[in-house]
Amino acid sequence: MKRFVVFLLVSVLVVGLMSGVTLAQGKKPKIAWCPAIDDPFYYMIGKGIADKCKELGLELFVAEYPKAWGPEVQVPILEAVAARGDIDVIITGPTSKEALIAPLKRIHDSGIEIITVDTYIGDGDYSKPSEYSFPLTFIGTDNFQGGVEVAHHLAEMIGKKGKVFIETTNPDVSSVVERVEGFKKGMSEYPDIEIVGVEYNLDVQEKAQQQVAAALQANPDIVGIFGTNLYSAQGAYQAVVNAGLTGAVKIASWDATEDLIKALKEGKVDLVLAQKPYEIGTLAVEAAYQYFVEGKEVPKRMVPGFFFFTRDNVNDPESQKYIYRAD
Amino acid sequence: MPPLFIRLRIMAYSHFGYGQRFAVQLGRNWVVLFLVILVVLFSFTGRGFFSPKTLNNILLTSSPALLLAAGETFVIITGGIDLSVGFVRGLISVISAIIMRDLYARGYSPSFCIPLGIVVGLALGLLPGLINGILVARFRVPPFIATLGMYGVANGFALRFSKGFPITFLPPEVGQIGNGFFAYFLPGRGLSFFARHADIVEGEMRNLIGIVPYAIVVVAVLLLIFAFILSRTQFGQHVYAIGGNIDAARRAGIPVERDLIRVYMISSFFAALSGVMYTLIFSIGTHTQFSASLELFAIAAVVIGGASLMGGKGSIGGTTLGVLVLALLEIGFLMSGILPFYRYIAVGTILIFAVVIDQTFPEIIYE
């Protein structure tokens, strides 16, 4: 009798497990969203994820938005989410290219698929087999490509000729370095445009102002400036105003945060590149859906395009969704 | 009565021959000489360098750095160091901006919320210095450690309040105060006080020269006051005496604890003022990024200006020259079209050079 009970239990367990396994194919995955930091950009990704999950009828668990950027904050959150046991896919932005490889690999080996958004692990190329190629896909912006497109838009604004200057933050931070390189590449297609310099302000705005003021004096005929972030762009603006060149020098900048959009409306900058965090979120959920429900292969890398704000479109109703908002 | 070390120098100096005197004078004033050489050099290499606009650019954009360095001068003369100034500046910039933004958003008039933001910011700015001073003077915590602790605390609070983002949406008048000039000069049209020429056309804007920004006047007045305090008051003498030999100062009956606390409060007051000015100039409150290394540039300027980390030496005038040298290098290299990386090398080299010179010449004096 006792043996029979054990046999019954074991067989129920085995059948249960097997049916569970077969059900996994084509079943709707439960998604966990583990943001890298509490900021408007990640909030927008989260919004895209939530809306898409609702549309596709997927269950979503949202982990806490960490108050600080870094593996020591992020890894415990990821491990706690994985330990819940009911998650099929984790969507996250790794806060370190190197330090997140091992923790994410452990989670992946326990049967959870990983999708990285905004940032990646290793060199971000998951198409070649490597120790970090296990995530389903990377969905994020290409800083280099963004720089190229900023160059094209700025070139249009200045009539494809004249001198331009680049004001950036650090010579050793990959995101802004790629933006600068992309910008140079983009501008190289215009023979009548000359890049007269690149300066680094280390995120100190008065440095940006000082450097741009000096550049404007050495080259009073500068017609365009690319400030790779808010501090760089606003410092550049202040120098342009003090030089009495408001309107004569076009300033381009990066990321549609509310303060840069405000600066655009006030005429302090003339062009703002917006990444598309909302699209990053919806693409991530679609990738999970395709993989689990439709059983399709997912591209290893997806790059949503950019949106460009100018004073002509900044008040359009359809532009508003590209502003990063944390509400 | 001049401070003790100056009297010592005068006594030794009177025994020198002309050659030695000239060498000593040159050694003492090498920064001035260097400054002149840089101006001449950059006037040849930098396009458009020799112009009142360059002077304006240097004065306007280096005044926040000048404030940090002025406060740091007091601390370094006592033989201490204040590593927290950069982040205290960020903290106060954030606090004053938040006050202005939130009150303005609730409908208060700018003439109420801007002064309130400035005053509260400056008052709170005394607090880190008070704590630093008590730690150093009463609890004998080495200044390096006490202010390194405050560096983290101030930055943590700044990030906590700002969540790592710039504080914007301040009253529009903020930028007008921070960027105003007392007078504007337009060639051929003459001067205009407090506002630009009313009927200026766009083509003329390029030639418009702003004369004497408000920000510089505030900084200049403060520097004069504190230069006076340092060189002409009893407290100033105590600062040098503490740095010269703290035990001797104690035995001589100098209230070392009280004076040290004051010195660290002066330092964080200047840092706070720098933060408030940042907010006023850029109409934005922001925490200090780690990569900014503002405290290190302040210390470098003080040392180039003739102070010694051993204490007992330094002056506001020297520090001002130190800040000008750094700003001049930055602008001159840029306008000469030299890659920014060479500037880092130049600044580092000059810093070491300054200390070497300083080690060489005082020995002649004290012999």
Side-chain angles (χ1 to χ4, degrees):
Chain A
M1 184 65 197
K2 205 174 165 189
R3 247 184 232 175
F4 178 70
V5 171
V6 171
F7 171 76
L8 205 65
L9 279 175
V10 168
S11 51
V12 165
L13 207 65
V14 168
V15 171
L17 273 176
M18 282 174 65
S19 59
V21 169
T22 44
L23 271 178
Q25 304 293 339
K27 93 159 197 180
K28 287 187 167 183
K30 175 158 182 177
I31 292 175
W33 163 229
C34 302
I37 189 148
D38 182 12
D39 80 0
F41 190 81
Y42 271 88
Y43 181 83
M44 294 289 287
I45 298 179
K47 209 166 145 202
I49 290 174
D51 289 356
K52 198 72 191 177
C53 281
K54 212 168 173 187
E55 184 194 318
L56 297 174
L58 302 183
E59 228 186 310
L60 172 68
F61 171 76
V62 179
E64 66 168 291
Y65 279 73
K67 298 282 180 260
W69 179 273
E72 63 286 355
V73 186
Q74 187 178 31
V75 171
I77 297 175
L78 285 171
E79 282 172 348
V81 169
R84 288 168 57 91
D86 62 342
I87 303 293
D88 300 297
V89 190
I90 288 180
I91 303 174
T92 191
T95 54
S96 161
K97 286 175 186 151
E98 304 304 326
L100 259 294
I101 293 177
L104 286 177
K105 179 93 175 100
R106 269 202 304 280
I107 292 170
H108 178 258
D109 290 346
S110 73
I112 297 174
E113 291 297 339
I114 308 286
I115 294 175
T116 66
V117 290
D118 181 41
T119 57
Y120 47 77
I121 49 175
D123 62 1
D125 184 0
Y126 304 154
S127 59
K128 293 194 296 274
S130 68
E131 52 164 342
Y132 50 78
S133 65
F134 56 85
L136 265 188
T137 177
F138 161 61
I139 304 157
T141 305
D142 185 331
N143 279 297
F144 185 86
Q145 186 55 34
V148 172
E149 292 192 24
V150 169
H152 290 318
H153 278 79
L154 188 61
E156 287 294 329
M157 293 181 100
I158 60 175
K160 298 183 182 175
K161 62 173 190 297
K163 291 178 178 172
V164 294
F165 184 75
I166 304 171
E167 182 63 43
T168 184
T169 59
N170 303 65
D172 58 350
V173 173
S174 67
S175 57
V176 285
V177 170
E178 284 166 19
R179 288 171 200 179
V180 169
E181 291 308 314
F183 184 80
K184 286 180 179 166
K185 176 82 178 20
M187 282 301 183
S188 67
E189 292 175 27
Y190 302 94
D192 295 334
I193 290 179
E194 182 196 352
I195 295 176
V196 291
V198 184
E199 267 296 337
Y200 305 94
N201 56 53
L202 309 178
D203 275 320
V204 182
Q205 201 161 314
E206 69 242 18
K207 273 252 139 31
Q209 181 186 350
Q210 188 179 58
Q211 292 166 348
V212 173
L216 284 172
Q217 226 181 301
N219 301 284
D221 45 351
I222 285 177
V223 287
I225 297 172
F226 176 32
T228 59
N229 74 351
L230 174 74
Y231 301 116
S232 309
Q234 289 218 148
Y237 163 72
Q238 215 68 262
V240 167
V241 169
N242 286 348
L245 296 172
T246 321
V249 180
K250 302 289 178 204
I251 301 175
S253 192
W254 190 286
D255 266 343
T257 53
E258 285 187 278
D259 30 51
L260 258 175
I261 292 298
K262 175 169 175 268
L264 177 70
K265 286 178 180 169
E266 291 171 348
K268 295 182 176 182
V269 299
D270 304 281
L271 178 70
V272 173
L273 172 145
Q275 305 182 54
K276 293 184 171 172
Y278 185 88
E279 272 72 7
I280 291 176
T282 57
L283 280 174
V285 175
E286 272 170 17
Y289 189 84
Q290 280 174 10
Y291 182 79
F292 278 95
V293 181
E294 298 170 0
K296 282 200 280 198
E297 265 308 300
V298 180
K300 288 293 183 186
R301 179 178 188 132
M302 287 185 257
V303 179
F306 302 98
F307 181 80
F308 282 88
F309 280 97
T310 60
R311 259 184 298 290
D312 296 332
N313 68 15
V314 69
N315 290 317
D316 292 354
E318 61 267 33
S319 310
Q320 303 309 308
K321 64 174 188 255
Y322 296 114
I323 301 174
Y324 311 168
R325 282 186 216 275
D327 44 21
Chain B
M1 172 82 64
L4 188 66
F5 87 102
I6 293 182
R7 268 178 281 155
L8 268 178
R9 189 194 298 164
I10 293 166
M11 278 163 57
Y13 190 61
S14 60
H15 295 293
F16 289 160
Y18 288 111
Q20 279 172 306
R21 284 187 189 201
F22 181 72
V24 170
Q25 280 302 332
L26 202 63
R28 303 263 14 122
N29 299 309
W30 72 272
V31 184
V32 181
L33 186 72
F34 187 66
L35 211 59
V36 172
I37 293 174
L38 282 184
V39 170
V40 172
L41 190 71
F42 289 140
S43 297
F44 285 108
T45 59
R47 248 191 306 171
F49 176 84
F50 200 79
S51 141
K53 283 189 173 181
T54 305
L55 188 66
N56 243 332
N57 181 15
I58 289 179
L59 292 179
L60 188 61
T61 54
S62 52
S63 48
L66 190 51
L67 288 174
L68 292 185
E72 190 77 59
T73 307
F74 278 79
V75 178
I76 287 181
I77 291 174
T78 66
I81 197 161
D82 189 347
L83 297 176
S84 66
V85 289
F87 292 112
V88 168
R89 165 181 123 142
L91 174 62
I92 299 303
S93 169
V94 165
I95 289 177
S96 62
I98 287 178
I99 291 171
M100 292 177 200
R101 178 192 67 186
D102 289 359
L103 289 178
Y104 184 63
R106 295 206 174 92
Y108 290 93
S109 84
S111 58
F112 169 71
C113 45
I114 296 175
L116 191 75
I118 295 173
V119 170
V120 174
L122 292 181
L124 282 176
L126 294 171
L127 203 59
L130 178 66
I131 298 170
N132 281 338
I134 291 175
L135 287 173
V136 171
R138 299 256 159 89
F139 294 94
R140 308 281 165 93
V141 179
F144 190 96
I145 299 300
T147 58
L148 184 62
M150 188 54 68
Y151 164 113
V153 172
N155 191 34
F157 273 116
L159 286 168
R160 165 72 188 78
F161 294 141
S162 69
K163 301 188 180 74
F165 288 93
I167 312 290
T168 53
F169 297 92
L170 306 183
E173 289 80 1
V174 169
Q176 291 166 19
I177 298 171
N179 293 296
F181 290 87
F182 273 111
Y184 295 88
F185 178 73
L186 193 59
R189 302 269 304 269
L191 282 169
S192 160
F193 291 98
F194 298 107
R196 290 173 180 176
H197 305 70
D199 49 347
I200 192 164
V201 294
E202 195 158 318
E204 289 177 323
M205 288 288 274
R206 207 174 269 249
N207 299 321
L208 185 75
I209 299 168
I211 299 171
V212 197
Y214 298 141
I216 291 179
V217 176
V218 174
V219 173
V221 168
L222 269 171
L223 289 185
L224 283 175
I225 293 174
F226 278 85
F228 177 81
I229 291 177
L230 193 56
S231 61
R232 295 277 183 274
T233 66
Q234 201 187 28
F235 169 70
Q237 287 200 27
H238 290 179
V239 172
Y240 284 105
I242 291 170
N245 185 335
I246 191 164
D247 295 323
R250 264 200 197 93
R251 281 197 296 276
I254 291 174
V256 170
E257 282 191 11
R258 192 197 69 188
D259 286 346
L260 269 182
I261 291 173
R262 283 187 188 172
V263 161
Y264 282 90
M265 285 176 77
I266 289 173
S267 176
S268 78
F269 170 76
F270 271 111
L273 187 65
S274 168
V276 168
M277 272 185 53
Y278 186 99
T279 302
L280 290 177
I281 291 177
F282 295 108
S283 358
I284 192 173
T286 184
H287 66 284
T288 304
Q289 316 259 344
F290 279 108
S291 59
S293 310
L294 295 175
E295 63 287 335
L296 297 183
F297 283 107
I299 294 166
V302 174
V303 171
I304 291 173
S308 157
L309 286 185
M310 303 299 159
K313 281 175 55 196
S315 67
I316 298 287
T319 297
T320 307
L321 290 176
V323 172
L324 288 181
V325 164
L326 291 182
L328 209 57
L329 282 174
E330 175 112 14
I331 290 175
F333 270 55
L334 194 156
M335 294 180 74
S336 307
I338 298 168
L339 278 181
F341 312 110
Y342 290 107
R343 190 173 66 230
Y344 303 157
I345 298 171
V347 169
T349 312
I350 287 154
L351 182 63
I352 296 167
F353 181 67
V355 178
V356 170
I357 287 207
D358 238 64
Q359 294 289 344
T360 317
F361 285 93
E363 277 163 27
I364 300 174
I365 290 163
Y366 290 117
E367 254 168 20

